[in-house]
Amino acid sequence: MATTYLKNTLTPAIIKTIPEQELPALCEEIRSTLVTYGQQHGGHIGSNLGVVELSVALHYVFSSPQDQIIFDVSHQSYVHKMLTGRTQAYTDETKYNSITGFTNPEESEHDAFTLGHTGTSIAIACGMAQQRDSANKHSQRNIIAVIGDGALSSAVAFEGLNNAALLKSNLIIILNDNEMSISQNVGGIYDNLAQLRATRGKSEHNIFKDFGLDYQYVEQGNNVHELIAQLKKIKNVDHPIVLHIHTKKGLGLDEIDQQKGIIPGQCEANHWQNPLHASKALPARKYYGQLAMSMLEQRFPDEPTLTIISPATPRSNGITEDFRSRAGLHYVDTGITEEYAAAYAAGIAKAGGTPVLATSATFFQRAYDQIHQELCLNNQPATLLIFAAGISNADNSHSGAFDIAMLANIPNLLYLTPSSEQDYLQMLQWSTTSKNHETVAIRVPSQAVLQADVERNTTSYPEIKRNFENPFNTNTSCPFLQYRFEQKSDTVALLGFSNTMPIIRKAATILEEHDITPSIIDTLQCSYLDEQSLNDLSRNHSITLTVEDGQQSGGYGNRISAWLTCNTNIKAFNLGADKEFTDQIPMQTLLQRYQMTPEQIAQNILQHLA
Amino acid sequence: MATTYLKNTLTPAIIKTIPEQELPALCEEIRSTLVTYGQQHGGHIGSNLGVVELSVALHYVFSSPQDQIIFDVSHQSYVHKMLTGRTQAYTDETKYNSITGFTNPEESEHDAFTLGHTGTSIAIACGMAQQRDSANKHSQRNIIAVIGDGALSSAVAFEGLNNAALLKSNLIIILNDNEMSISQNVGGIYDNLAQLRATRGKSEHNIFKDFGLDYQYVEQGNNVHELIAQLKKIKNVDHPIVLHIHTKKGLGLDEIDQQKGIIPGQCEANHWQNPLHASKALPARKYYGQLAMSMLEQRFPDEPTLTIISPATPRSNGITEDFRSRAGLHYVDTGITEEYAAAYAAGIAKAGGTPVLATSATFFQRAYDQIHQELCLNNQPATLLIFAAGISNADNSHSGAFDIAMLANIPNLLYLTPSSEQDYLQMLQWSTTSKNHETVAIRVPSQAVLQADVERNTTSYPEIKRNFENPFNTNTSCPFLQYRFEQKSDTVALLGFSNTMPIIRKAATILEEHDITPSIIDTLQCSYLDEQSLNDLSRNHSITLTVEDGQQSGGYGNRISAWLTCNTNIKAFNLGADKEFTDQIPMQTLLQRYQMTPEQIAQNILQHLA
């Protein structure tokens, strides 16, 4: 029978007062609360359902924040949040938005870090343990990293395992093995995990021991009593230990939920759950992803070496299960391994193949060095598809506003910035068919661009086009280096690219109501300056305004301004995002903050002309 | 008896014609050539001495470039270069500078990539193997990655091992185990390697097998016959295999060499060997490193949690063996693990410690995401000591010209840019003692700054200062955000920071000979604009010139220009490096190319005023 513990705000102190025999009922209540929360609000429900018992057991046995628990990537921290003072954020619909989807030090002393990128928990825990030991070598604080099996495929997690063994003091690494990454697990280590599960941790082949770590196994990772017993045994352990627990992702999503439209159990589809009331319309990100895959797939029969690479996140980028099942060797999931993926793409390109590496802007940050060195220093013609780039209401750990400063300043990299479906497809065709010797990144357009195409009737959205012509000969030099004048006028020039073009066009419409016809320029890319066009501009324009869908600092607008001021007599003004992290701030609020709405832009121009 | 094969240009085809019994003599000749080359020219001699036999055996058994050999980090590719048409570059003193110290596709078809950052060879090899299989599944090309044991500690190498197991076709990973990283090896995996060596590869604890890889062991890794026999066995293997060979770094550096000033054998000191004729003067990089360590060490007794972190490269940054032996828990070598090191520093800082993470600008690229997320998003007050930053004659894989675009555009990061020893020390004191809540990077000054300090008599160089006063209270807010006017004048303003200040001062001297007294401004940092100072400037200056020791694109000068043009009526001109990779180009040539010599700067100003 379900308890009613969640009627009150729970804390670690309260958890400890609950008789252990009642904990399974508490877990049941938490689980059903999560299911309801997922239906109403959406979120990373699957992973949280798998760690209900672990989270309860951790707070039952350990004393946070004295003992420190670091949740890797932290999307599985909902139960932890429920148990550390934020209960109502999951039980009271009106408070759903009072907290974020990741651990957050601003919310609670029980959250040490905001983490949204995978694999760093062990490194952080090692640092905290080091600091604990330096400050007081007799300290009995437990430092605990909770890391999923999927996260184990990532570079920094391996470095963590390798370095953890050096610590001569307490460190507990809880491996939450739910047999799933975001999609399926990828890599040789997962055969070893399977062996360890099959032998209940007794296999003599044990990668954790080979890293020099102590190791224990719990088969019933969703049995709170087993977990408590085991955690009590290793509490205050005086050396690093891996506790491998076997759990079930999505446990509690059953057939009843399925009738409500939720996909049950341990599957890719419940990595991220949309609320039931969410629009079923295909979002731009998945639409453009599917469109790209459709176009590339058409070429598979003739181009055996066209290879799509996705580091663990295919589904959110429109690389559907169906596509993958048809793609054979044309599709490779490398696991959560952006570093590897970029160097791997360089290898494919060097050997004559055509790699297309697709992931989010924020995750490309992890491959900065491999993009710089293996790809660009070596001039390898790989295509990077940059999803979720630009100003948005994303979580602060997933912001897409930093991509231009990161990518557009790397030598030998051409960052193409389509502002329409047609440009997007042409740019992708060009980068994957030409014999250029440059790494090309393509900024996948946003919802604003899709909306504009829908309004102009220049897309078949939501239908995914299936027949494509390749408009380029294989030896065409890059046709995107010259700025495109969408409208030629004088006095005022509005320059944009990518997702700001719809904004600029609207601003122009407002200006036209004031009898000012601005020039509208789409730069098409943000890596190089088209000095000829800028020079032309300077002849009959007095004001140039750049509008950039990303951080101004390090961005393209500043480069244009600097060039214009140095080489011409016209003034340029730049709009773009401030150099800041933003956390789930509505898009419209951000655009207003950055003076980037069409109305603000028009007003800005009018003031300058006044 | 030594052969004279190296009198002629060697190629893989020629190697194959040599009777196997003569190969040891060839190896002897190569080894003695390398020793001489090291004495005359310097280089990564130690690692190359360890792979003489491996390189010969590889080219004896395999057929490059049909079979593809990828040398990880590629500083051990000298012998490979000797055997692939570049023999005279090692035998003829006048041709020493005809080739680079890393593999280089521009030199030879036998070099697939230019690689200077560790750990990516397996990923690249996987990509090449994938491409081979896609293009022709019956291809018999061997793809071979040669990776050192030290490189195994790095993130992307682990991802490579994990993903390699997925390949169902030929891939040969040769683990060149010389029991050394750059310094000592770090991490739990090295105990496993030791076990494997001790058991001649027979230990049942085998991390490579646990990654799902086939495995074989060769104890006599410097016996060319053993290597040939083993390589013949695995040639054309139809699955991924690790061949673990035990070699000796520095083999052949003996007591005779020691008398000539070369440190013999398997030791940290022979990772990089200076030529005998090299100046023994302490270079700026090591001097500033030693100075920082000296200052921090003085505080160790009072600050148990002050922690210096070096990812594998202590020696080149002045973190001497002596210092390390005294530092205890205050010093941590994390192995070649920049990603881990940055997240680890975040953990230390969060737990209340004071981490100082020291490595080269080019290697910080690998930690871009962890600097962005774990440090800056989380506002962790760690100090990053950025060595070897700026325009230089470095190899193209080690350029320091990209640090400003990378670091100065990350929110919440303050990039301090000292232009004197005094500033450097004060900035380091401030970042490590204040309770600021920002990640601070400090750009370690270059030889130009040291030279200027020597000329001004404001350094005790080469003596390392031992007594320091801490000029800051722990609660002092940042004293480096306001630009410093070294000289206040009107009309012309020269703005610089870090290593360009000596250049600017000289340019000012030249201008003064033309009766123009410019203002000289040191911005002290390059993360934020001092709008007040820029505004003040605009009142009585008509020309502002920024001179930046790094890439202009994404740099600080462009930001200053953009702000000035938007907010004032003065013009700003920017100087800095082009967006390009440069390879061992003399500093003076680069400064001239970028119009950055004092004479060019003065001329530039005079023309503008004309």
Side-chain angles (χ1 to χ4, degrees), chain B residues 534-608:
Chain B
L534 290 175
N535 246 327
D536 290 350
L537 260 190
S538 71
R539 292 209 191 95
N540 57 351
H541 292 76
S542 55
I543 294 178
T544 300
L545 182 73
T546 67
V547 190
E548 184 160 7
D549 179 35
Q551 179 177 285
Q552 267 199 65
S553 177
Y556 193 51
N558 280 3
R559 289 175 59 199
I560 290 175
S561 277
W563 191 90
L564 284 174
T565 191
C566 194
N567 294 283
T568 75
N569 285 316
I570 63 167
K571 266 185 173 300
F573 302 89
N574 306 136
L575 296 176
D578 290 345
K579 193 166 85 169
E580 63 174 354
F581 292 103
T582 61
D583 199 13
Q584 298 187 326
I585 297 180
M587 181 78 171
Q588 197 56 26
T589 309
L590 289 176
L591 291 180
Q592 271 167 2
R593 177 187 298 179
Y594 305 143
Q595 308 287 316
M596 282 173 64
T597 68
E599 296 74 20
Q600 288 170 310
I601 291 170
Q603 199 54 42
N604 188 328
I605 295 291
L606 291 172
Q607 276 167 3
H608 279 297

Side-chain angles (χ1 to χ4, degrees), chain A residues 187-188 191 329 344, chain B residues 126 129-130 132-133 137 139 162-171 211-213 236-241:
Chain A
D191 289 338
L329 270 184
Y344 175 75
Chain B
C126 287
Q130 154 86 15
R132 172 199 61 202
D133 301 343
K137 78 177 111 166
S139 167
N162 191 35
N163 275 264
L166 302 180
L167 204 70
K168 303 295 175 219
S169 60
N170 172 281
L171 178 74
F211 270 117
L213 296 162
N236 300 328
V237 62
D238 65 357
H239 59 272
I241 187 168

Side-chain angles (χ1 to χ4, degrees), chain B residues 175-204:
Chain B
L175 170 62
N176 170 39
D177 183 357
N178 59 26
E179 302 182 52
M180 284 285 292
S181 181
I182 300 170
S183 179
Q184 82 277 26
N185 275 314
V186 173
I189 194 176
Y190 295 107
D191 288 338
N192 190 235
L193 293 194
Q195 233 176 336
L196 288 167
R197 289 192 304 268
T199 60
R200 303 292 189 258
K202 293 195 169 52
S203 168
E204 64 192 16

